[in-house]
Amino acid sequence: MSSNSEVAPQKGSALEDDGLNEEERLKAARSIQRTYRGHRTRRELKGFHLDPNTRWLEAVKDAQYQKLTEPTPSKDGNVPTNTSARENWRRVGQIARRAGASGSPPPSSSDTSGADIGSGLSGESEKQRERRERAKARNQEKTTPKMMDLQYFLEMVDVKHRYGSNLRAYHNYWKTQPTNQNFFYWLDYGDGKDVEIPERSRHRLDTEQVRYLSKEERMKYLVTVDAEGRLCWAKNGQRITTSDLLYHDSIQGIVEKGDPTPTFKSNTSPTSDSSEDSSDSSEELDSSAEEIEASHYVNEDFERAKGPAKIVHVSPAVVFNHLMRKSMKKGNKWIFVADTSFRLYVGIKQSGSFQHSSFLHGGRISAAGTLKIKDGQLRSLSPLSGHYRPPTANFQAFVHALRDAGVDLSRVSISKSYAVLVGMESYVKTKKKVKNMEKAATHQADVVFRPEKAKEDEEQAKDKSQSAEKERRYLEGQRRQEEQAVQERKKNKGLGARLRKAMGRFKVEDRRDTPPGGPEAGIPPPEGKR
């Protein structure tokens, strides 16, 4: 049935037998069609904007991406032949598009679910709201998106999504080996398939695999705002309470402890045959999980140093990892991610299984961190995220979006880690500025006292690629054109000034005698026409 067509009632139908005339039957048919279209729209919204076509499209994209990035061994067991440069660039483009995806559907006039925490203003038409939402989404994508930290890109590219810090340890070892094998081929099929790193055992590498949600699964963690400014689950409208004693994760999102919905079976989750675990065993599992999670944020150089030698290894990364370990010890397991349209997703962090990167498949975000909610009321916010490490400006924009959406912030407290991150960012910017100033001063001194060395340093700093040389020639041509234009303007300006001066010499002046003074001087003007 087309959404724009109108079907007249058929002969012999129930509408024809109840004594209605043709006009009344047509009106009834229109009402039925209008009701059906509303039901279909609500059903699609409940299905999280995913019709069968969208589901098939996402499945095909995932299959193509997996085929593109999966390292498959050759039949004879040798190293696969090198692919062409075009194929390599195609693979890089696919990975870049995957990493740059925002994960949020474009705003539309039919989207009235209220999932966007930055929407909900009243007193405007549908077209105005749609125009405002589109402009807002464009501006936000230009100013606030944050891609996943570079050290966790291996996790996103890996078809198994093994934990990024574990992969990084093997990747550092792979870079020291004299091999021409691709890293993932080397790790799974090649020379490195039997390599064992003590700090990151092979068993730990293979078991800690991060769950990446599909678009449909992601919507089960979506959060909306009710009329009182409380945070609720978009799937059922229930107010959120971040309590590990009352709720747990499942294949249908966050559910109550007694809910029969099966949990997601991750490789890292220990299983038990008994239906009821003792409190001692659960505490041991929680403590072991916290220890495993804290081990992901360890700076080995800093830990190996003793006494005052530790000062040499202190850096912003060391401070950040210390904050992450401290947060893990406090039991902050409830995490959040806001996409580029400030749609909010909330879940329970599981070490090596469910992380900030799980929500948007490693795509771009506007903010990420931890939170605490009680009966829908936001109580605590922290900007700590190891996978994304967003700047504090993103966190500020997220808090402003919450306030604009009408979220109740009367009892919220911001973590002290926010102030530490602000200080770290200021320190890094100041240090970088001082370093650039010292470099510029040294270069100027070399130009004056050691011009040969300065010229040699400039040549070494240049990019030797053909594209860089072409860009330099183009910029040099532009600079010359600008200099010629400036010289031409100066020349024309000088010629015009000389012409005006010459014409001024031939200017005829009216030298008719007039009596001095006037009414201002107390002398009356002469009679007659002046």
Side-chain angles (χ1 to χ4, degrees):
M1 181 184 296
S2 173
S3 59
N4 297 324
S5 61
E6 294 180 356
V7 181
Q10 301 293 328
K11 271 191 172 184
S13 63
L15 291 175
E16 189 176 4
D17 297 338
D18 58 5
L20 299 176
N21 56 32
E22 186 69 20
E23 183 178 356
E24 290 175 339
R25 284 197 294 270
L26 185 59
K27 185 177 180 181
R30 289 175 178 173
S31 177
I32 292 173
Q33 285 184 332
R34 187 164 55 250
T35 303
Y36 171 75
R37 286 196 295 268
H39 164 70
R40 185 180 61 184
T41 301
R42 289 190 297 272
R43 185 177 59 186
E44 290 178 356
L45 291 176
K46 188 176 181 180
F48 315 122
H49 312 277
L50 296 177
D51 54 9
N53 293 335
T54 305
R55 289 188 174 95
W56 275 109
L57 183 61
E58 290 300 319
V60 170
K61 285 183 178 180
D62 289 340
Q64 290 176 345
Y65 181 80
Q66 185 171 359
K67 183 179 180 181
L68 187 68
T69 56
E70 184 175 8
T72 56
S74 57
K75 294 182 180 179
D76 55 359
N78 297 325
V79 180
T81 57
N82 293 330
T83 56
S84 63
R86 179 178 297 180
E87 185 67 21
N88 289 336
W89 278 111
R90 177 170 169 264
R91 183 180 292 108
V92 171
Q94 289 282 357
I95 295 173
R97 280 192 291 271
R98 188 89 164 192
S102 61
S104 59
S108 61
S109 58
S110 62
D111 184 4
T112 57
S113 61
D116 185 353
I117 62 173
S119 63
L121 297 179
S122 57
E124 58 182 356
S125 63
E126 289 294 324
K127 290 185 178 180
Q128 291 175 340
R129 188 178 70 85
E130 180 180 358
R131 194 180 302 113
R132 179 179 60 82
E133 292 295 333
R134 291 184 185 278
K136 181 179 178 182
R138 285 194 299 268
N139 293 334
Q140 289 169 350
E141 290 193 2
K142 290 179 181 178
T143 56
T144 62
K146 178 68 171 66
M147 297 178 69
M148 194 158 58
D149 199 68
L150 287 176
Q151 59 181 338
Y152 287 96
F153 254 58
L154 291 171
E155 176 189 302
M156 185 194 69
V157 177
D158 185 18
V159 294
K160 300 178 182 179
H161 301 305
R162 286 168 286 194
Y163 197 83
S165 62
N166 298 335
L167 285 173
R168 191 168 65 253
Y170 284 86
H171 187 262
N172 292 334
Y173 180 81
W174 167 78
K175 290 190 294 186
T176 63
Q177 301 302 304
T179 178
N180 60 348
Q181 296 176 349
N182 174 276
F183 168 66
F184 290 108
Y185 178 86
W186 172 89
L187 183 64
D188 294 330
Y189 309 105
D191 299 337
K193 63 180 180 180
D194 297 325
V195 172
E196 187 88 12
I197 297 180
E199 295 82 6
R200 313 283 182 177
S201 65
R202 178 67 67 155
H203 173 73
R204 180 176 176 182
L205 173 69
D206 294 332
T207 54
E208 292 187 348
Q209 298 181 14
V210 180
R211 177 189 178 191
Y212 276 25
L213 302 176
S214 65
K215 282 190 175 181
E216 190 168 0
E217 292 174 329
R218 179 188 312 155
M219 294 303 169
K220 297 169 184 176
Y221 298 86
L222 185 64
V223 175
T224 186
V225 185
D226 64 10
E228 298 180 10
R230 303 295 181 95
L231 300 177
C232 308
W233 297 115
K235 60 182 179 180
N236 54 18
Q238 183 180 357
R239 288 184 175 179
I240 303 174
T241 296
T242 55
S243 172
D244 298 336
L245 300 177
L246 300 178
Y247 300 94
H248 68 93
D249 202 354
S250 71
I251 60 174
Q252 296 297 331
I254 306 300
V255 295
E256 295 181 359
K257 281 286 189 180
D259 195 287
T261 306
T263 59
F264 179 79
K265 295 181 179 179
S266 62
N267 294 334
T268 58
S269 299
T271 57
S272 177
D273 297 334
S274 60
S275 58
E276 296 182 359
D277 296 334
S278 63
S279 59
D280 294 338
S281 61
S282 63
E283 290 178 359
E284 291 178 359
L285 292 175
D286 290 341
S287 61
S288 62
E290 291 176 3
E291 291 176 0
I292 294 175
E293 180 64 22
S295 65
H296 293 303
Y297 304 101
V298 174
N299 296 85
E300 297 178 359
D301 295 337
F302 179 80
E303 295 297 330
R304 283 196 295 262
K306 301 296 182 182
K310 286 181 175 290
I311 300 177
V312 180
H313 301 284
V314 173
S315 65
V318 172
V319 177
F320 182 86
N321 288 339
H322 174 73
L323 293 176
M324 291 296 299
R325 292 198 303 271
K326 189 176 180 180
S327 176
M328 293 301 103
K329 291 179 180 179
K330 290 182 178 179
N332 295 334
K333 296 182 179 180
W334 288 76
I335 58 177
F336 75 89
V337 159
D339 63 15
T340 55
S341 297
F342 287 104
R343 295 174 185 264
L344 182 61
Y345 304 90
V346 173
I348 302 176
K349 184 174 184 176
Q350 300 176 22
S351 177
S353 175
F354 197 93
Q355 307 284 339
H356 286 103
S357 57
S358 300
F359 293 104
L360 301 181
H361 217 279
R364 296 183 303 166
I365 56 100
S366 61
T370 62
L371 48 64
K372 292 181 180 179
I373 306 172
K374 184 175 181 180
D375 192 26
Q377 189 178 50
L378 192 60
R379 296 296 182 91
S380 176
L381 274 177
S382 172
L384 293 178
S385 171
H387 275 71
Y388 286 98
R389 306 195 178 193
T392 54
N394 289 42
F395 184 72
Q396 294 172 3
F398 172 67
V399 174
H400 289 319
L402 292 175
R403 185 178 293 108
D404 294 340
V407 177
D408 184 6
L409 302 178
S410 59
R411 301 187 63 180
V412 66
S413 62
I414 305 299
S415 172
K416 295 179 181 178
S417 59
Y418 171 74
V420 177
L421 293 180
V422 171
M424 286 172 50
E425 290 183 3
S426 302
Y427 167 75
V428 171
K429 290 179 181 178
T430 304
K431 185 178 179 181
K432 187 176 181 179
K433 187 181 295 184
V434 171
K435 186 176 180 180
N436 292 336
M437 291 173 62
E438 291 178 353
K439 187 177 180 180
T442 304
H443 179 69
Q444 289 297 330
D446 290 340
V447 170
V448 175
F449 300 103
R450 295 179 293 274
E452 296 82 4
K453 183 178 182 301
K455 189 173 182 180
E456 183 180 351
D457 293 341
E458 291 177 359
E459 289 296 329
Q460 291 179 355
K462 284 183 179 179
D463 190 352
K464 302 301 189 299
S465 63
Q466 294 181 358
S467 59
E469 182 64 27
K470 186 182 295 184
E471 183 180 3
R472 282 195 293 269
R473 289 198 299 266
Y474 174 75
L475 294 176
E476 182 65 20
Q478 276 193 335
R479 186 183 63 81
R480 291 177 179 175
Q481 291 179 0
E482 291 177 358
E483 289 181 354
Q484 291 176 0
V486 170
Q487 294 294 335
E488 192 69 23
R489 286 196 298 269
K490 288 182 178 179
K491 183 178 179 180
N492 294 336
K493 184 178 180 181
L495 181 60
R498 288 196 297 270
L499 287 175
R500 286 193 297 272
K501 186 176 181 180
M503 292 297 293
R505 295 175 182 174
F506 299 99
K507 185 177 181 182
V508 180
E509 297 182 0
D510 187 7
R511 298 179 177 275
R512 288 182 299 179
D513 296 334
T514 55
E520 295 83 358
I523 304 174
E527 296 180 0
K529 185 175 181 181
R530 189 174 181 181

